[in-house]
Amino acid sequence: MQMLWAYISEQNETVSNSAWALLILGVLLSLSIVVDTISRRTALPRISLLVLVGVGYALIQQGLMGREAEPLNGLREPLISLALVMVAFLLGGELTLSRLKSIGPLILVLSAAVVMGSLVTVFAGLWLLGYSFALAASLAAISVATDPAAVSEAIAESGKKSLVSRVTLGIVAIDDAWGIIVFGLCMALLSWIGAASGGASLMHALWELGGAVLLGVVLGFPAAWLTGQLKPGRPTQAEALALMLLMAGLSGYLNVSALLTAMVAGFVIVNVSSHHTRSFSEIEQIEWPFLVFFFVLAGASLTLSHLGTALGLVGAYIVLRSIGRYIGGYLGVLAMRQREPRLTTNIGLGLLPQAGVAMGMALLAAERFPEQGQLIVATVVTSTIIFELFGPLLVKRVIAKPGKNDAY
């Protein structure tokens, strides 16, 4: 018995990290099943529950064990990158040329107005409150993103088929695309401003955006061709997963925006390939386990010692983002009043839910600005839970008061 225990102890020193990583992955996927059951029975958002699981992990790791949470060791960054690439790729796949034409100027103007309202209000408000330029700009860019799933589910549950509900769905269909573009521009701008050598940093900023577009095109066209040559099933699944890994890996290697690369590749494939649905359906089938890891790890990234410091910033961010969404929607509706008088001016409040893309941006911003990283992550993780819990209620409230002739 003593020899057996000595052998186990000796082996534990060499394989404990990998064993713990596999054990944690298994536990997280098991918990996601429990979370899904709780969500269906209580109507609580799955995303918020998964983030709370991560916060619970951080609480155990930091509170009881007295150390910083670093779940899954070296697997954390690849899992997060892969999940974000999948989300952005599927988002790019929604941007078909026919859909963009059908969206029309009404939704484009309203979505741009809401984006600018959030961006300007959050940045100006946080900067005037004394927060650093980098922190204010990062959170302003993050504030642009919306959670399409939460908005869509809330509208579906309400049963409303009004003009307001259709316009809201149209806005969230392209809102995260705006968010990725704005976030990429913001990160490039901050890199340029913060660098010592202006010329070199400007080239780096342009490469980060232009290189992402170029890489997305270079990977997108061959993938579009290959999709039509492969039979549905395992070969297509392998091709889709290979594309995700290539985009995540090459983006990091070339130091370009992984989100923008994936969105451009998805856009190219969906508009070029006649068999584009195969790749996207395969990614949709395997996406959820990676999103489980992503949301839990986002919650686990929260440093509890910074939470008290971040409470004031969390409150300011929630208030400013809500005001910005409302003002943007209000001004957008006024601008289009002649074209469509039936729209309600509080439509921006129906765009408050915020989830995966926003947290992904927060983690990327934290890597770029480590001195502000903990505040950014704490703010976005905490506000995401609040927006996911109360945002759908506001969505239903906004679409619940249609005009007299609002059927569409």
Side-chain angles (χ1 to χ4, degrees), residues 185 187-209 255 368:
L185 289 170
M187 291 298 102
L189 178 64
L190 289 174
S191 296
W192 177 46
I193 293 175
S197 55
S201 58
L202 178 60
M203 288 299 296
H204 173 75
L206 292 174
W207 167 248
E208 186 171 352
L209 297 176
N255 202 19
R368 182 70 63 88

Side-chain angles (χ1 to χ4, degrees), residues 1-350:
M1 192 58 145
Q2 289 181 346
M3 292 179 61
L4 178 62
W5 179 254
Y7 175 78
I8 293 175
S9 300
E10 181 182 346
Q11 292 299 310
N12 186 55
E13 294 179 2
T14 58
V15 301
S16 58
N17 287 340
S18 59
W20 273 110
L22 292 172
L23 180 60
I24 291 173
L25 291 175
V27 169
L28 292 183
L29 287 179
S30 301
L31 285 174
S32 72
I33 301 172
V34 178
V35 163
D36 190 64
T37 303
I38 295 173
S39 176
R40 279 188 280 106
R41 294 186 177 181
T42 63
L44 292 172
R46 286 189 301 177
I47 291 171
S48 296
L49 293 174
L50 288 171
V51 173
L52 288 174
V53 170
V55 173
Y57 182 97
L59 180 63
I60 294 171
Q61 185 84 354
Q62 298 171 36
L64 300 180
M65 300 176 67
R67 11 176 219 175
E68 294 289 318
E70 186 52 44
L72 302 180
N73 298 318
L75 289 177
R76 178 181 176 274
E77 187 176 342
L79 286 173
I80 289 175
S81 297
L82 195 55
L84 288 175
V85 163
M86 288 181 175
V87 170
F89 178 73
L90 292 175
L91 179 62
E94 297 292 325
L95 303 178
T96 61
L97 293 176
S98 59
R99 186 172 194 174
L100 291 176
K101 288 178 183 177
S102 67
I103 283 174
L106 175 63
I107 290 176
L108 286 175
V109 169
L110 287 174
S111 63
V114 172
V115 165
M116 290 306 298
S118 303
L119 191 67
V120 173
T121 305
V122 173
F123 173 74
L126 293 180
W127 200 24
L128 289 173
L129 287 173
Y131 292 101
S132 69
F133 184 89
L135 182 67
S138 298
L139 289 175
I142 292 168
S143 73
V144 171
T146 309
D147 178 15
V151 175
S152 301
E153 286 180 18
I155 291 176
E157 287 175 6
S158 71
K160 297 286 183 180
K161 295 184 179 179
S162 61
L163 174 64
V164 174
S165 65
R166 289 180 179 272
V167 170
T168 302
L169 287 172
I171 293 173
V172 299
I174 60 172
D175 209 37
D176 277 351
W178 280 119
I180 289 172
I181 294 169
V182 169
F183 181 77
L185 289 170
C186 179
M187 291 298 102
L189 178 64
L190 289 174
S191 296
W192 177 46
I193 293 175
S197 55
S201 58
L202 178 60
M203 288 299 296
H204 173 75
L206 292 174
W207 167 248
E208 186 171 352
L209 297 176
V213 173
L214 180 62
L215 180 60
V217 171
V218 168
L219 292 176
F221 275 103
W225 174 82
L226 186 60
T227 298
Q229 310 303 311
L230 297 176
K231 294 182 180 179
R234 291 180 181 177
T236 306
Q237 190 176 71
E239 176 240 351
L241 187 55
L243 181 61
M244 298 303 104
L245 292 169
L246 284 172
M247 287 190 295
L250 286 173
S251 297
Y253 180 77
L254 297 174
N255 202 19
V256 299
S257 171
L259 292 177
L260 192 56
T261 297
M263 192 178 76
V264 170
F267 175 80
V268 169
I269 293 172
V270 79
N271 288 291
V272 170
S273 174
S274 57
H275 301 84
H276 59 80
T277 54
R278 294 180 185 174
S279 293
F280 293 102
S281 62
E282 293 296 342
I283 294 301
E284 287 172 350
Q285 289 181 27
I286 63 174
E287 178 193 30
W288 179 242
F290 292 97
L291 289 180
V292 169
F293 301 143
F294 168 74
F295 288 122
V296 174
L297 291 172
S301 300
L302 183 65
T303 303
L304 299 177
S305 58
H306 288 79
L307 191 56
T309 310
L311 285 179
L313 179 57
V314 171
Y317 176 75
I318 291 173
V319 171
L320 289 169
R321 183 173 182 266
S322 302
I323 293 173
R325 302 304 257 187
Y326 175 79
I327 291 175
Y330 182 84
L331 294 177
V333 168
L334 286 185
M336 303 300 289
R337 178 67 81 189
Q338 234 178 1
R339 180 187 179 94
E340 187 46 76
R342 293 175 292 172
L343 287 174
T344 176
T345 53
N346 66 348
I347 193 170
L349 294 179

